[in-house]
Amino acid sequence: MSAPVPDLAGWAASGALHLTGRADGPPVLGPGDPAGRVAADLATVAAHGHARAARTEDSGERLPGVGVLGERAALLGLTRSGPASCGGAFRTVPTTDGWFGLSLARDDDVALVPALVERPLDDAVGADDADDAWRAVRDWARALTRAEAAGRAALLGLPHAAWPPLPADHREPVETLVGGRRSRVGERPLVVDLSALWAGPLCAHLLGLTGCTVVKVEDPRRPDGARRAPGRFFDLLHAGHDSVGVRLAGDGPGRLLDLLLRADLVIESSRPRALRQHGIVAEELVAAGVSWLSITARGRASDTVGFGDDVAVAGGLAVEDRGQLLPVGDAIADPLTGVRAAAAAAAALAQEHAALLDVSMLHVVRSCLVPAVPPPHVVRRSASGWDLLTDGARHAVLPPRSRQPAGTAAPLGRHDDRWWP
C-alpha cells in the first residue's frame, strides 16, 4: 500500500501555508494533510446539499473551497507572526522537556496569570500589561515539565497546549449517539445556532449555504465576541441568518427551550453544564427528536477549554524550526472543526432519527495528521511571492483570501418577533 500523499496544491492555495512561519521568514510547511481533509468534508456537505436541492429545486449558494482556512486572516488583516499566533493571543514558552503554549485572548485569561505563576504579577515583572504577563509565564515555565505547566493551566481553566503533544483519550473526532425519531424531516431544516466565534458559526454558515434556515441566538449581556472583530468576518458567517436575543434568566430558558424543540438541529459550543443549569439538557432534546451538535475543545466529557491556536498545537499541528515552535495557519483548529462538524450535521439531517453529535476539536486536528511528516520540499521566493517545490511540482503559495460577505449580519435581536411566541 502506498503512503498517503498530502494535498500540497490545496494547502498552498488555502492561505494557511502563507500564514505559517515567522514574519521575517518564508512560509513553513507543517505536518499532516489539513487541506485534503477539508476538501473531503466540504464534498460531503455539498453532496447532502445537492440531494436536498434536487428535492426542493433550490440550488442554494456555492460552498467555499479550501480557502476557508485563511478567510479570517484575510478579513482581519492577519499575517504570519511565528512563534506567536497570527492574532498574537497565543504564544509558546520553553519548558524542561519541550514547550508550553497559552492563549491570553481574554482579559479574564490575563487576570489569571498571577494565579498560574503563583506570585503577584507586579512583583514578578514590575507592571501589569500583556507583555509583562508573558515574561512572567516564560520565567515560570522554564523550570517545569510541559505536563506540569499544562496541569496547572487546566486547573485554572486557561486555554493551553503542550508540545510535544501529551497523550489524550482515544476517540473519534465526531462521536454519535442516536436518539428519537424526528417528528418532521423538512426540506429546509431549521438550525438554531447557540455557538460563538468561529467553528460553530462556520458550521451554521455552511449549512445555511445548502438551504437550511439558520437562527442565531445570543444573550444580550454576552453577545458573540466575533461581533467586535474588525473587517467583515462576522458578516461573512452570519449574513442571511435570523438573529434573536434571550436572557438566560427569568423566563428566558423556557422561551429558548420552546425554540429548540422546533429545531431540526441545534449547534452549541459551550460545556454541557452551562445549559444544564438552566434546565436545557441535550440528551433530552435528542430523545425528543431534535439533533444536537456540540463542539468543545476535547469532547463533552472534558472540562478543558480551548481556542483554535492552542487546540491545534495540543493536537499536533505545529512546526519545530530553529529552536522555536511555530503555530500552523490561523487558529486552524476552528475552521477544521467547523467544516468537519458541517459534514457530520449534513449527514445527520438526512436521517430519520435525531442524533447527538459530540465534536472534539482536538481529535479533529489529530485526524488531519496523516502523513505526520512533510514530504521532501523547499520553499523559495519567486517573482510573485513564494513557491512550494516538491517532487518536481511547483505550487504557488497564495496569501489568504476571502469571499465577499453576502450582506450585513442582522443586529442582535432583529428577528425576535418572528421566533418568540
Side-chain angles (χ1 to χ4, degrees):
M1 179 180 294
S2 60
V5 178
D7 179 8
L8 295 180
W11 186 240
S14 72
L17 174 54
H18 198 279
L19 293 167
T20 305
R22 295 177 177 81
D24 59 353
V28 179
L29 183 62
D33 186 21
R37 184 66 257 181
V38 164
D41 287 336
L42 286 171
T44 298
V45 178
H48 286 285
H50 293 328
R52 185 181 304 117
R55 296 191 300 269
T56 62
E57 299 183 356
D58 179 2
S59 61
E61 299 180 53
R62 185 176 179 180
L63 288 170
V66 293
V68 71
L69 295 172
E71 285 190 316
R72 190 184 83 144
L75 287 169
L76 272 59
L78 304 179
T79 59
R80 58 181 177 276
S81 302
S85 62
C86 295
F90 174 78
R91 304 184 195 180
T92 55
V93 295
T95 65
T96 61
D97 61 347
W99 285 272
F100 167 68
L102 191 65
S103 288
L104 298 181
R106 305 165 296 189
D107 291 342
D108 289 349
D109 298 327
V110 177
L112 284 172
V113 168
L116 178 71
V117 302
E118 299 182 271
R119 56 179 173 174
L121 191 60
D122 55 355
D123 288 349
V125 294
D128 59 359
D129 63 25
D131 286 340
D132 290 331
W134 280 114
R135 281 193 287 272
V137 172
R138 187 177 298 110
D139 291 343
W140 165 78
R142 67 176 49 161
L144 303 175
T145 67
R146 68 191 196 282
E148 289 170 338
R152 180 71 180 171
L155 183 66
L156 294 171
L158 284 165
H160 65 278
W163 183 275
L166 297 171
D169 293 339
H170 177 74
R171 52 155 286 170
E172 294 299 316
V174 182
E175 294 192 340
T176 303
L177 175 67
V178 177
R181 182 178 293 274
R182 295 169 61 192
S183 60
R184 60 199 172 281
V185 184
E187 298 299 348
R188 293 187 63 87
L190 173 60
V191 175
V192 176
D193 178 18
L194 307 179
S195 68
L197 299 179
W198 194 356
L202 175 59
C203 173
H205 167 67
L206 296 174
L207 295 175
L209 293 180
T210 65
C212 295
T213 298
V214 181
V215 180
K216 183 172 181 63
V217 179
E218 299 168 84
D219 189 326
R221 297 169 300 176
R222 296 188 66 184
D224 187 341
R227 283 188 178 273
R228 300 189 299 272
R232 298 192 64 194
F233 182 60
F234 191 83
D235 291 335
L236 177 68
L237 297 183
H238 297 287
H241 298 178
D242 283 5
S243 172
V244 299
V246 61
R247 292 179 181 270
L248 289 178
D251 64 353
R255 298 175 72 195
L256 177 58
L257 183 59
D258 287 339
L259 175 60
L260 300 183
L261 287 168
R262 287 182 273 163
D264 292 284
L265 173 75
V266 177
I267 301 171
E268 55 92 16
S269 55
S270 58
R271 285 171 286 182
R273 68 170 181 265
L275 288 173
R276 283 176 182 162
Q277 65 183 347
H278 297 291
I280 297 174
V281 181
E283 291 81 358
E284 294 178 357
L285 272 85
V286 172
V290 177
S291 287
W292 188 286
L293 187 144
S294 173
I295 297 175
T296 56
R298 304 191 183 197
R300 288 174 63 82
S302 172
D303 284 333
T304 302
V305 297
F307 295 120
D309 287 304
D310 54 85
V311 174
V313 171
L317 273 178
V319 185
E320 294 186 44
D321 184 73
R322 289 184 284 160
Q324 291 183 311
L325 189 68
L326 310 179
V328 170
D330 169 37
I332 197 167
D334 274 301
L336 290 175
T337 301
V339 176
R340 179 69 62 87
L349 287 171
Q351 304 302 314
E352 292 187 356
H353 285 79
L356 174 58
L357 306 172
D358 178 2
V359 185
S360 164
M361 296 176 68
L362 179 80
H363 294 84
V364 169
V365 170
R366 292 195 169 187
S367 72
C368 297
L369 292 178
V370 178
V373 179
H377 67 279
V378 63
V379 177
R380 291 180 179 166
R381 188 179 290 280
S382 67
S384 58
W386 297 95
D387 288 338
L388 172 64
L389 306 174
T390 179
D391 292 334
R394 170 188 171 277
H395 307 293
V397 180
L398 301 180
R401 295 167 295 173
S402 174
R403 296 163 292 150
Q404 287 298 313
T408 301
L412 200 163
R414 167 64 63 84
H415 302 100
D416 285 358
D417 291 344
R418 182 180 298 173
W419 293 101
W420 297 138

